[in-house]
Amino acid sequence: MKEYVLLMVSAALVNNVILARFLGLCSFMGVTTRIDTAVGMGMATTFVITVSSMADWAVETYLLQPFGLGYLRTVTFILVIAAAVQFTEMTVKKVSPALFQMLGIYLPLITTNCAVLGVALLLVAGKMTFIGSTLFAFASSVGYTLVMVIFAGLRERLALAEVPRLFAGPPIGFIVASLLALAFMGFSGMSTS
């Protein structure tokens, strides 16, 4: 049990997919202008990462490894992710049309979000059990959502602040993102002490 808790804390905070592994930066910068949009994108991505990682683990364990088809790993994983994204897109459109409109093009682009594929490939590299890989995927996506919401809150505050014209818009966003990454680096510093 202790291993699973440490695995989840590590995946969510210490090795955060956005701030430590620098995956998923497109949606990180594109969708975080409002907190509600960031929450919606985070929830959709959490579902996709968790479900696709479970399916990718099964495909890797029962299909690719036994038949020596490791060279098809990336293509297969992307197909599984695309199916999960399609299901998520249909569900969001049916349940919350307003959120569907807010997310716009970023919702179908979850398929190409490198954080989703990155987590699946990390699971293969880590040779985890099904439960371990599911918990790792869920915790990684919760960490992704946490950072998205924190950054959206900071960007909402920045929109109201008087920022020098040279830094207005994306430049100040990148500066704040780098400071946020440095803040999360403190978590990894605590784990090595």
Side-chain angles (χ1 to χ4, degrees):
M1 184 66 176
K2 181 181 176 184
E3 291 175 35
Y4 290 141
V5 171
L6 290 175
L7 177 71
M8 291 181 72
V9 169
S10 171
L13 300 176
V14 179
N15 295 312
N16 185 279
V17 289
I18 294 176
L19 298 177
R21 298 189 186 274
F22 305 110
L23 299 172
L25 293 177
C26 179
S27 57
F28 175 67
M29 292 305 291
V31 181
T32 54
T33 54
R34 294 180 39 199
I35 290 177
D36 54 349
T37 309
V39 169
M41 181 62 146
M43 289 182 355
T45 305
T46 296
F47 179 78
V48 169
I49 288 176
T50 305
V51 169
S52 65
S53 292
M54 290 167 44
D56 288 337
W57 182 90
V59 166
E60 175 71 20
T61 303
Y62 297 115
L63 182 65
L64 298 179
Q65 280 182 358
F67 295 106
L69 300 172
Y71 59 91
L72 294 174
R73 181 175 296 126
T74 303
V75 172
T76 307
F77 285 7
I78 290 173
L79 288 172
V80 169
I81 291 166
V85 168
Q86 191 65 34
F87 176 74
T88 304
E89 189 176 1
M90 291 185 314
T91 304
V92 170
K93 187 175 185 177
K94 181 83 170 168
V95 173
S96 178
L99 179 61
F100 182 78
Q101 290 294 333
M102 279 192 291
L103 292 175
I105 190 66
Y106 290 101
L107 190 57
L109 284 178
I110 293 175
T111 303
T112 60
N113 187 335
C114 56
V116 180
L117 180 61
V119 169
L121 293 173
L122 285 170
L123 296 176
V124 172
K127 300 193 184 313
M128 299 181 192
T129 64
F130 179 74
I131 293 173
S133 64
T134 303
L135 291 175
F136 178 83
F138 178 72
S140 293
S141 58
V142 167
Y144 175 90
T145 303
L146 174 70
V147 170
M148 294 277 283
V149 171
I150 290 171
F151 190 59
L154 291 171
R155 286 185 76 180
E156 282 187 356
R157 295 290 304 255
L158 280 173
L160 302 173
E162 288 186 34
V163 178
R165 196 169 44 134
L166 181 63
F167 293 109
I172 194 69
F174 283 112
I175 291 169
V176 171
S178 65
L179 293 174
L180 191 57
L182 284 172
F184 267 70
M185 297 281 284
F187 287 122
S188 60
M190 289 177 11
S191 65
T192 59
S193 303

